[in-house]
Amino acid sequence: MRELERIRGMIIYLLSFIVLVFSACNRQAKLSEPYVVMLSMDGFRWDYTDKFPTPNFDKIAGMGIKAKSLQPGFPTKTFPNHYAIATGLYPDHNGIVMNNFYAPDLDAYYSISDRDAVENPAFYKGEPIWVTAEKQGITSASCFWVGSEAPVMGIQPSYWKKYNQKLPFTQRIDTVIYWLKLPLNKRPRLITWYFHEPDGKGHKLGPDNPKLGKTIVYLDSLLGVFMKKVEKLPNSGEINIIVTSDHGMCETSSTRWVNLSDYLDKDWFKVIEGGNPNYNFFAKADAYETINEALKKVPHVHTWKREKVPERLHYGTSPREGDFVLVADSGYVVSWKDTPPPFTGGAHGYDNRNTDMHAIFYAYGPAFKKNYIQPTFENVDIYPLICKILHLNPAKTDGNLVNVEGMLKVNP
Ligand code: AMP
Ligand code: ZN
Ligand code: ZN
């Protein structure tokens, strides 16, 4: 009898011990609520960190992961790719098919300099990562990420800002740190933010110009300032930092110039959208065949009937791309006789197979492995990666977690 009671006592003791351990684990799981803070430095080519001294990027590579490069979607322009990163959808599927385009479905024009268009949710397709987060109870914030200024699916980040290029980078850093210091019930756990350099200087100087080094070194030092500020936060151990970009940059030259007016007559077109080195053409009905034949004669470019764009470019299914798609060969500039050729030092928009168009992806934090080199991957894979880190149910996208989960710790 006594023996039986002793065994019963032991079982009760064991059971209470197990319950205690389980509830402690649960509390632990609740306490560890991951953060993702993703910065884009516009036009930061994948190899700038090899060409110029960047100790803070190098530090991230040691503390976390560095991708060999990040492949942008086509066209390799700013808006299509920032929104591809946000939604996990190629530009062909995310609605933002170019920096400026005509949307026949809305009978409306989109342009990055048109505030009404940029803030109009009708142009944006898919589910941006901050919408996924907000829908699933995670507060988000954005300082200038493309798409965050429009209530896509009726939802915007809890905190967002109207685009103001004049806001100094240091103030953008302080804004993000301010958000990360908000009381727990107000604090965003997903932050997307944006620097418009080194794109501007890359266009002006060209990616091969040693003078570009000044900008890269400055951006690297700003990254260092930001990392130090994050390190001082009480919950820095929960914060995952991503630094990425939308595309690279290709050296141009006045000796590589095609004047489209020598081959095409603007009167043949209903709408011409895009800009060097990409064009989307909407043909007037009676000019379709004339245009088709004329485009074949334009040198140093690739042109396709929209439906014939090669599959690997994941482009050509959206009516917003017009009847014909044109992209200059890498390093070539295209313009019209009434618009001066943009003989700047650099351009982007070219075929995403050209590694000059490739971008960066660096990351560190509790979710990421240390000192890990990730092979080149597509930017549509960033959406499922962030969903995984934040324990979010992802929307259906063109991205695939399988391509990127090698960067993550198995049990963070
Ligand atoms: P591009 O080099 O032509 O593809 O575009 C880069 C430019 O996009 C930058 O220099 C910024 O001026 C502009 N830009 C980036 N984000 C925004 C935004 N949210 N609203 C308006 N313009 C933007
Ligand atoms: Zn850009
Ligand atoms: Zn640019």
Side-chain angles (χ1 to χ4, degrees), residues 20-76:
L20 255 172
V21 168
F22 259 97
S23 60
C25 284
N26 248 343
R27 234 176 305 135
Q28 185 67 29
K30 277 212 187 94
L31 279 178
S32 112
E33 295 199 314
Y35 291 66
V36 171
V37 179
M38 175 165 66
L39 167 64
S40 165
M41 294 191 186
D42 198 316
F44 203 116
R45 200 167 93 172
W46 70 282
D47 58 350
Y48 284 168
T49 52
D50 298 330
K51 288 157 89 86
F52 306 110
T54 50
N56 292 296
F57 279 101
D58 300 346
K59 192 170 167 193
I60 296 187
M63 285 157 59
I65 72 98
K66 166 190 174 161
K68 181 165 189 316
S69 73
L70 181 70
Q71 186 176 35
F74 181 82
T76 49

Side-chain angles (χ1 to χ4, degrees), residues 42 76-80 82 99 112-113 115 118 144-149 162-165 194 196-197 199-200 203 246-247 249 348:
D42 198 316
T76 49
K77 289 279 191 184
T78 298
F79 270 54
H82 276 101
N99 277 351
I112 67 175
S113 50
R115 300 314 306 159
V118 166
F144 306 153
W145 200 280
V146 170
S148 64
E149 294 161 274
K162 261 185 201 290
Y163 189 66
N164 170 15
Q165 192 152 302
Y194 171 78
H196 54 272
E197 290 291 359
D199 182 72
H203 280 298
D246 49 349
H247 53 73
M249 192 64 73
H348 56 90

Side-chain angles (χ1 to χ4, degrees), residues 103-117:
D105 49 312
L106 306 169
D107 189 19
Y109 289 86
Y110 183 95
S111 158
I112 67 175
S113 50
D114 175 350
R115 300 314 306 159
D116 288 342

Side-chain angles (χ1 to χ4, degrees), residues 257-262 264-266 335-341:
W257 171 44
V258 179
N259 182 353
L260 293 174
S261 302
D262 290 344
L264 309 171
D265 183 340
K266 279 191 172 175
S335 73
W336 304 85
K337 75 166 184 286
D338 53 352
T339 50

